[in-house]
Amino acid sequence: MDPVKKSLWSLHLAVILLGATALFSRIIPLSALDITLGRAVIAFVVLALLVRLSGGNLRFQRTRDIGIAIVLGGLMAVHWVTYFAAMQYSSVSVGMIALFTFPVITVLLEPFFEGIKLVWQDLVSAVVVLAGIWLIVPEASLGNEVTLGIAVGVFSALLYALRNLLHRKYFSHYGGAQAMTYQTLVIVLCLCWFGSAELYQASQHTYLMLLILGTICTAAPHALVAYTLIHLRAKTFSLVACMQPLYGVVLAILVLNEQPSWQTLVGGIMVISAAIYETINANKLHPGKGHS
């Protein structure tokens, strides 16, 4: 098979697997923090082995990169916890749509990192995203679990956007799998103090689900992404990555029998449309830059 076509299929598989991570917020009977800790432990071990087996090393190129890795890992720790929490409060569909406000949040934050100016189209995208989220929100009260889930999901998106911007500016000289190895290690070190007894006394089935989450749905897709970026343009990667919430919602409907309301579907279309637009626009302005 042609390397480009093979990479494109691999990328879609990676995005499907990343979308499937959302299902585990419902499948695994643990708190968001415990799920994240278990996921990070397994992902770190597998990613470290993959880096070593592929001939890479885990040494830092510069001493200052250690501090940057700690900051990025800390942001990822809270991002992953809030990512699962958002879907436990509301639903997989709502949580994933809230998370994918991050491309527009990224555009709004970029002027503080890249020294560029906002254009009116970016502000329109932000308004479209706000309208989509407003459509999904059932009531303006955090006492409502769906509203709380949306708020936590948008906060998770903010952390993810910050992590991506910092990564691109200060840590992009490391490959994707290597960078995630450092960050999953930091996540483990941050969260190991807060793991509950339920995690350490979980059933074999729960540990099996954590193993699948950490390997097939975390380490494997990150390794696939690193492979596909060898043959695919950053624009192609970014656009396919925007399919993640669509795959996640479809999987939630098929596996968990979720039934998203029409407001959720329409709001989701608005949010994802803005994400796709900003992705296309970003790659026109910065054709050499991709998402980590």
Side-chain angles (χ1 to χ4, degrees):
M1 184 184 292
D2 179 74
V4 174
K5 288 184 178 179
K6 185 177 180 180
S7 296
L8 192 57
W9 281 107
S10 297
L11 179 56
H12 275 282
L13 175 59
V15 173
I16 290 172
L17 292 175
L18 288 172
T21 61
L23 304 180
F24 291 88
S25 65
R26 295 287 181 175
I27 295 174
I28 298 176
L30 295 172
S31 69
L33 191 149
D34 286 341
I35 293 174
T36 300
L37 176 55
R39 176 192 191 186
V41 169
I42 296 166
F44 165 71
V45 173
V46 176
L47 285 168
L49 287 173
L50 286 173
V51 171
R52 295 297 296 167
L53 290 173
S54 63
N57 67 74
L58 294 172
R59 293 182 180 179
F60 286 99
Q61 298 177 19
R62 302 174 301 197
T63 303
R64 76 170 211 169
D65 290 344
I66 299 174
I68 297 170
I70 291 172
V71 172
L72 294 176
L75 287 171
M76 281 296 288
V78 185
H79 159 61
W80 273 5
V81 172
T82 50
Y83 169 69
F84 286 116
M87 288 173 284
Q88 289 182 339
Y89 284 131
S90 53
S91 67
V92 169
S93 303
V94 169
M96 292 209 71
I97 291 168
L99 173 66
F100 262 75
T101 58
F102 85 84
V104 175
I105 294 175
T106 300
V107 169
L108 296 177
L109 292 177
E110 268 185 327
F112 300 100
F113 291 85
E114 305 287 347
I116 59 177
K117 292 183 178 180
L118 281 176
V119 295
W120 66 268
Q121 293 95 329
D122 296 332
L123 297 176
V124 171
S125 293
V127 171
V128 171
V129 166
L130 286 174
I133 293 297
W134 176 83
L135 191 61
I136 300 171
V137 172
E139 60 176 296
S141 170
L142 293 180
N144 184 291
E145 289 194 341
V146 175
T147 303
L148 180 59
I150 293 170
V152 173
V154 172
F155 177 64
S156 185
L158 171 62
L159 296 173
Y160 191 47
L162 283 171
R163 176 263 184 186
N164 288 346
L165 287 166
L166 289 169
H167 185 283
R168 190 166 71 187
K169 190 173 180 66
Y170 300 109
F171 215 66
S172 58
H173 48 286
Y174 291 99
Q178 187 178 5
M180 279 304 296
T181 302
Y182 297 141
Q183 291 170 53
T184 49
L185 174 59
V186 174
I187 293 171
V188 173
L189 295 176
C190 287
L191 301 184
C192 64
W193 310 100
F194 306 103
S196 73
E198 284 78 8
L199 174 61
Y200 303 110
Q201 299 170 3
S203 66
Q204 290 184 351
H205 179 265
T206 297
Y207 285 136
L208 176 61
M209 291 297 103
L210 285 172
L211 181 64
I212 293 172
L213 173 60
T215 54
I216 298 175
C217 294
T218 303
H222 279 96
L224 284 172
V225 166
Y227 163 75
T228 60
L229 287 175
I230 298 172
H231 302 287
L232 297 178
R233 295 171 60 194
K235 177 180 179 179
T236 303
F237 165 71
S238 300
L239 286 174
V240 174
C242 284
M243 298 292 289
Q244 184 177 329
L246 173 61
Y247 290 141
V249 170
V250 170
L251 287 170
I253 293 172
L254 295 176
V255 177
L256 303 178
N257 199 30
E258 282 195 3
Q259 298 179 349
S261 66
W262 71 265
Q263 293 97 326
T264 299
L265 295 175
V266 173
I269 291 171
M270 294 171 69
V271 171
I272 303 311
S273 297
I276 292 172
Y277 169 77
E278 288 298 347
T279 299
I280 295 172
N281 196 44
N283 281 283
K284 285 181 180 178
L285 295 174
H286 309 289
K289 291 182 178 181
H291 293 281
S292 58

